[in-house]
Amino acid sequence: MSKIKVKAKLKGGMLKVKAMAKHEMSTYNIAEKKTGNRDNANFITHISATINGETVWDMSTSQFLSKNPIFKFNLKGIGAKGDKVVMVAVDRKGNTLKGKGKIK
Amino acid sequence: MKRREFLSMTVGALALAVVPASVKAEDFRKSKPAVWSAKTVDDAIKALYGTNELTMSNVKLITAKVPSDSPKKAVASNGGAIPVDFSVSVPAKTVSVYQDSNPEAAVCVIDVTKYDTMNYSIKIKMAKSGTITVVAEGTDGKLYAAKQTLDVALGGCEG
């Protein structure tokens, strides 16, 4: 259900990765307003990218990323055309979001 | 053709060899819980790095459109998704983003890997106008930072 879209492009030795995670990213305030309980807030707390099993990018996040957050980052020295960029995110409720994209 | 095969094999072998060392990326929500509940930018930076002495250089921060008549202030029409582009030009261990218009200050902390060119773009939300701060912890131990104040026309945090 939940998913991350990943696009990766290799150009001039630079690997440009663009990812969009499908997630509501509700803050404590939104949760309190909508459900009356701050604890219903749910957002991605940690997201990372791996290529060939190696962690290449890693981010701990809070509730202030936008809804369906977009991440763009550039890598150098790793990845070849055809390799897959695998991204995994974990949210506050413990759900895991996964996605992968082939390097073009 | 053979050369190419050989090359790709070497890359594969190298990748396998490095795995054990680089897999242990740090989860800053577990290792530094105080950062995420800090109410002000200063407190959050202090909770993460132990100091909040910032050197205002080597970090480039670009947010939403900056009007030409007032270069100091940017305007975001939608507080629910404010594009934040930032890059760091010195070797750094971590890069973190804060803002001062939401109940808590911290937005994200990036654990920089050796492949990272430290050129990022993310989207964040802000409840009202405020200042975004990007801090990079240099490998020399100094904290480099950049700030950008922006007007938010429509708050993004109340849903």
Side-chain angles (χ1 to χ4, degrees), chain A residues 25 27 29-30 45 54 56-66 70-76 78, chain B residues 22 25-26 28-29 80 102 104 106-111 113 115 117 119-125 157:
Chain A
M25 299 297 283
T27 68
N29 280 5
I30 293 175
T45 55
E54 191 174 357
V56 291
W57 181 83
D58 183 88
M59 187 193 240
S60 307
T61 61
S62 79
Q63 64 270 38
F64 304 125
L65 289 175
S66 68
I70 289 172
F71 307 93
K72 282 186 214 166
F73 51 94
N74 298 341
L75 304 169
K76 217 170 185 177
I78 187 147
Chain B
S22 53
E26 193 169 357
F28 289 97
R29 289 195 78 93
N102 295 340
E104 288 94 24
V107 176
C108 68
V109 181
I110 301 161
D111 193 4
T113 68
Y115 305 110
T117 55
N119 214 322
Y120 313 102
S121 176
I122 57 170
K123 285 200 173 178
I124 70 166
K125 53 190 170 205
C157 248

Side-chain angles (χ1 to χ4, degrees), chain A residues 23 33 41 43 48 53 68 75 87 89 92 96:
Chain A
H23 201 282
K33 219 172 173 180
F43 49 86
S48 62
N68 297 339
L75 304 169
M87 296 196 65
R92 193 172 167 268
T96 307

Side-chain angles (χ1 to χ4, degrees), chain A residues 19-50:
Chain A
M20 192 193 85
K22 217 168 165 70
H23 201 282
E24 54 173 348
M25 299 297 283
S26 66
T27 68
Y28 293 113
N29 280 5
I30 293 175
E32 191 166 28
K33 219 172 173 180
K34 285 194 175 161
T35 64
N37 188 353
R38 283 175 71 81
D39 209 39
N40 281 332
N42 195 10
F43 49 86
I44 293 172
T45 55
H46 192 256
I47 179 164
S48 62
T50 54

Side-chain angles (χ1 to χ4, degrees), chain B residues 1 10 18 23 31 33 41-42 76 84 109 115 119 129 131 138 141 153 158:
Chain B
M1 194 57 206
T10 328
V18 218
V23 154
S31 60
V41 178
D42 279 353
V84 182
V109 181
Y115 305 110
N119 214 322
S129 304
T131 305
E158 304 306 321

